[in-house]
Amino acid sequence: MNFRRTRPQQLIAIGSVTIIICVYSVTWPSGILNQKEDQHASPATLSAVQEHLNIVRYADMVRWERNNQTSSSFWASSILSDDRRIYFHETTGRDHLNLRQLCAVESTAKENPSRSVQIFFQTDHVNVTSAPFELVLKTYPNIAVLLINAKDYFTATPLERWYLHGVWRKSPYKTEHFSDYIRILSSFKGGGMYMDLDFVTLKPLDADIFRNFVPEEDNAVLTGSSFHFQKGHPIVRKIMTYLASSYRPKEWAHSGPAMMQSVVLKYCRKKLPEPTYPLFLCPEIRVLPKKYLYPYTFADWKRFFLTNVSSSDPIFESYAVHTYNKLSKNEPVLVGSDQLYSQIARVHCPVTYAHALTDLEVDFF
């Protein structure tokens, strides 16, 4: 993440982080996330430190649930099947998050302290010493890190053949397409709300509003960068069938926004995906107007790096904002400035922001 510091505010930042830690220590139900695995756990389980930080292998979770071996209701239910969970996928194969990705996870956990916030990694470990990752996990006990083996995760699902056939590995968009597929696979396995790792959450994501929805990103244009479906929703099976039977490795959007628009319109027998909230486009499918998550279109991504943004700007009415990392990743966030991105990060991901502000060894991130 390109965080650049403009002026020292270390004491304010550290004080803010201390307050956040204290608040979240008392708001999350005691013991829900930090119970130890029982005596039947595999000898290959993770270290005590990783257990304490709510880091777990997905394969262990499946085995525990199958054998009724875990004593923790959180691990048994909220991880494997939870319509209220909010989940992210790190799909490059790295064992850590950069600062912008960490801000996405932290802001979501901060604004939704009573909901499970899950981040999936395709590794057998995570580097919690990277940036302020460990401190974020300690501060927000509603965050869980799930480690998956991708091959095992796709096994015995409608998308297994797509994964094993491997055409996607030769695509110029292999990371993007893998992300398109695995986010839907997670919805199929457990339901919940998916978000890309380039969001910043600004308000609590009301579970009544953000339920069984697809969002409008631009006028009459749907996207798959965020959505919610309850486990077992019939449209998820429709999406899985589409993905399994229709893959175009040279088309960036085919299995992402284009797929979402096509499947939703066919499922609902509509020609245009007009916003419908609070009504339904068709039974149990809402289209959320862009003001809820996309106050800016992708063409407006440079607005995040402006200063002196008006208080009437649509971003301040939004529940979260998509920062379009594919376009904005090389634009520096000036920490300590009045830049819009800096302002929202300071408020909504204070631990991540404080790290960028107080690291005196470098002045560029």
Side-chain angles (χ1 to χ4, degrees), residues 312-323:
S312 61
D313 191 277
I315 193 174
F316 298 114
E317 296 298 321
S318 187
Y319 284 78
V321 61
H322 192 220
T323 64

Side-chain angles (χ1 to χ4, degrees), residues 66-83:
R66 184 185 303 125
N67 299 327
N68 294 318
Q69 289 181 335
T70 177
S71 60
S72 168
S73 61
F74 174 82
W75 292 128
S77 301
S78 293
I79 289 291
L80 295 183
S81 181
D82 178 13
D83 289 340

Side-chain angles (χ1 to χ4, degrees), residues 202-352:
L202 309 176
K203 299 177 184 178
L205 297 168
D206 189 317
D208 292 328
I209 296 175
F210 296 93
R211 178 175 176 79
N212 290 333
F213 80 90
V214 289
E216 181 190 48
E217 183 179 61
D218 203 348
N219 294 330
V221 176
L222 302 183
T223 180
S225 54
S226 182
F227 56 81
H228 176 280
F229 300 116
Q230 66 189 67
K231 185 178 180 180
H233 196 296
I235 199 172
V236 176
R237 175 65 71 171
K238 296 286 187 182
I239 293 172
M240 297 274 280
T241 299
Y242 180 100
L243 292 175
S245 62
S246 176
Y247 179 57
R248 299 179 185 176
K250 295 183 179 180
E251 296 184 21
W252 171 76
H254 180 72
S255 54
M259 175 277 298
M260 190 66 74
Q261 179 125 343
S262 176
V263 174
V264 168
L265 291 182
K266 288 181 180 178
Y267 179 82
C268 292
R269 300 181 181 180
K270 302 290 185 180
K271 293 183 178 180
L272 289 175
E274 297 178 357
T276 59
Y277 180 82
L279 303 177
F280 293 102
L281 185 67
C282 63
E284 291 302 314
I285 292 290
R286 290 187 176 111
V287 173
L288 286 188
K290 57 187 179 181
K291 68 178 183 178
Y292 284 89
L293 296 172
Y294 302 88
Y296 304 149
T297 68
F298 70 91
D300 298 322
W301 67 268
K302 290 187 178 181
R303 291 177 66 91
F304 293 108
F305 304 94
L306 299 178
T307 59
N308 301 317
V309 175
S310 168
S311 59
S312 61
D313 191 277
I315 193 174
F316 298 114
E317 296 298 321
S318 187
Y319 284 78
V321 61
H322 192 220
T323 64
Y324 303 103
N325 182 66
K326 188 176 180 67
L327 300 172
S328 67
K329 61 185 177 182
N330 293 322
E331 191 76 19
V333 176
L334 305 179
V335 180
S337 74
D338 290 330
Q339 196 179 53
L340 179 58
Y341 204 141
S342 180
Q343 290 185 56
I344 61 176
R346 180 167 57 241
V347 174
H348 300 287
C349 55
V351 176
T352 303

Side-chain angles (χ1 to χ4, degrees), residues 4-14 334-337 346 353-360 362-363:
R4 185 180 286 137
R5 188 173 53 256
T6 59
R7 59 176 181 270
Q9 298 179 7
Q10 290 92 329
L11 293 178
I12 295 174
I14 292 171
L334 305 179
V335 180
S337 74
R346 180 167 57 241
Y353 192 87
H355 170 83
L357 191 65
T358 59
D359 189 335
L360 300 180
V362 293
D363 62 3

